[in-house]
Amino acid sequence: MTALVARLLHLCAAAVGRLPWPWLMALGDGMAALWVRLDARESRVARINLELAYPDLLPAERAQWHRDILRTTARQALETLRLWTHPHARNLQLVREHHGVSLLDEAIARGEGVIVVAPHHGNWELLNQWLADRTPLAILYRPPESAVGEAFLNRVRAASGQDPDRVTQVRAEGPAIRQLFKRLGAGGVVGILPDQQPKAGDGEFAPFFGVEAFTMTLVGRLARRTGATVLFAWCERVDTQGDQPGFALHIEAAPDAIADPEPQRAVTALNAAVERIARRDPAQYQWTYKRYTLRPHGSGEPNPYARD
């Protein structure tokens, strides 16, 4: 039954994905406007995050940023349905610019393992497809709460038209994470989304936009123990053509401090790098995620989303 429902969801996603790009973008704009009107969860979380991360914005400016973020978020949700249900080769034609690709190629050629750190900026699903086209890849992911949701993700993230072993999805759980160490030790490539809040005991607090955020220590541990090269990567919208989105692929070397043996310094460097990328265009960052739920022990700070 789980597989059947996942297949039905895939068919629905494919139906939406067949809409012309201008229609998808207009539909996304309508969704964003509805979120604001209904004060939906996405709208409330984005507003709280903006208040925390950009406290000095004037009210009118914050309101405009809030609308821009929701519009970009809604558009991305719909464009991702299209990316998931179209051949990857066609999707990759949307990548108009490539920056720093030689860093990845050279790191792979050294055979010492590569950790691709991909913040929730731009469209990370398109980045996954680009990476899978370039090299076999293991992607760390947090499984959805429902079995149907996980089956759906496994279906849509499969490498279309490629070797089924091209992409390995690794659950963000203790036993499964050992696969990442093994792959890096063999000179392979792994992809990690670094700005998801880890479980208690799997992270450290470090500033993110001036607010303490519980941050994963996994990136630093992988880098220290394997000696793998750490690179940041993201696909940023540049809209080079008016009738469909265009993207610029960016790859940059990570700061050495990410592999610091002191976990606090490592996660501080990680958050600083993610913040720098997010500040390039705040509307393209995932501000609808509850990044600051956990608060430092003994701080007395409440969960800012408790009212949500």
Side-chain angles (χ1 to χ4, degrees):
M1 179 61 71
T2 296
L4 176 61
V5 176
R7 178 172 175 77
L8 291 175
L9 288 176
H10 184 269
L11 291 173
C12 292
V16 174
R18 289 195 184 98
L19 295 174
W21 277 115
W23 292 23
L24 283 176
M25 290 187 282
L27 182 59
D29 294 349
M31 285 175 54
L34 186 62
W35 286 343
V36 174
R37 180 184 294 272
L38 299 178
D39 195 28
R41 175 196 176 281
E42 292 81 1
S43 179
R44 295 194 299 274
V45 173
R47 185 173 59 249
I48 292 169
N49 281 334
L50 279 178
E51 291 170 355
L52 292 169
Y54 291 94
D56 296 330
L57 286 179
L58 296 174
E61 189 176 15
R62 182 178 292 116
Q64 182 61 55
W65 283 32
H66 180 250
R67 289 191 294 270
D68 291 345
I69 287 168
L70 294 179
R71 183 169 61 249
T72 302
T73 300
R75 285 188 174 193
Q76 177 179 325
L78 295 175
E79 78 188 15
T80 296
L81 293 181
R82 185 182 179 103
L83 295 174
W84 276 342
T85 55
H86 279 69
H88 292 190
R90 184 186 304 176
N91 296 338
L92 295 180
Q93 294 175 11
L94 299 173
V95 182
R96 319 288 188 201
E97 303 174 16
H98 299 79
H99 305 277
V101 175
S102 62
L103 293 174
L104 176 65
D105 292 342
E106 292 165 3
I108 292 173
R110 287 194 293 271
E112 299 174 352
V114 184
I115 303 169
V116 178
V117 181
H120 286 86
H121 184 79
N123 195 303
W124 50 93
E125 295 293 344
L126 182 59
L127 173 64
N128 286 343
Q129 293 183 8
W130 184 90
L131 289 169
D133 185 67
R134 202 84 179 179
T135 179
L137 175 72
I139 299 174
L140 183 71
Y141 77 105
R142 178 177 297 174
E145 294 182 0
S146 73
V148 170
E150 182 167 14
F152 174 73
L153 281 181
N154 287 332
R155 184 181 186 88
V156 297
R157 283 178 171 167
S160 176
Q162 295 176 332
D163 183 334
D165 295 327
R166 190 76 173 175
V167 178
T168 302
Q169 298 194 74
V170 179
R171 296 166 65 97
E173 298 173 348
I177 286 176
R178 285 197 290 269
Q179 296 180 43
L180 302 183
F181 285 96
K182 183 177 180 179
R183 181 173 288 253
L184 290 172
V189 180
V190 305
I192 297 177
L193 297 167
D195 41 6
Q196 290 182 323
Q197 187 170 254
K199 295 179 180 178
D202 291 335
E204 295 279 348
F205 280 97
F208 186 60
F209 283 86
V211 182
E212 293 294 310
F214 198 58
T215 305
M216 67 167 62
T217 55
L218 177 62
V219 173
R221 285 190 284 122
L222 286 171
R224 287 193 304 275
R225 295 183 187 179
T226 66
T229 299
V230 184
L231 300 173
F232 277 87
W234 67 96
C235 270
E236 189 172 70
R237 292 177 192 82
V238 291
D239 293 328
T240 54
Q241 295 186 10
D243 61 342
Q244 62 184 11
F247 294 85
L249 174 84
H250 294 268
I251 297 177
E252 294 184 355
D256 293 339
I258 279 182
D260 194 291
E262 170 52 52
Q264 180 65 45
R265 286 195 287 268
V267 295
T268 297
L270 176 63
N271 277 356
V274 173
E275 179 178 330
R276 183 185 58 79
I277 294 169
R279 286 185 182 276
R280 292 172 57 91
D281 183 355
Q284 294 200 43
Y285 189 67
Q286 191 189 28
W287 290 111
T288 55
Y289 177 69
K290 296 180 179 181
R291 185 68 177 86
Y292 302 109
T293 301
L294 296 178
R295 309 311 309 137
H297 180 70
S299 69
E301 298 177 11
N303 174 358
Y305 315 105
R307 51 185 164 173
D308 179 48

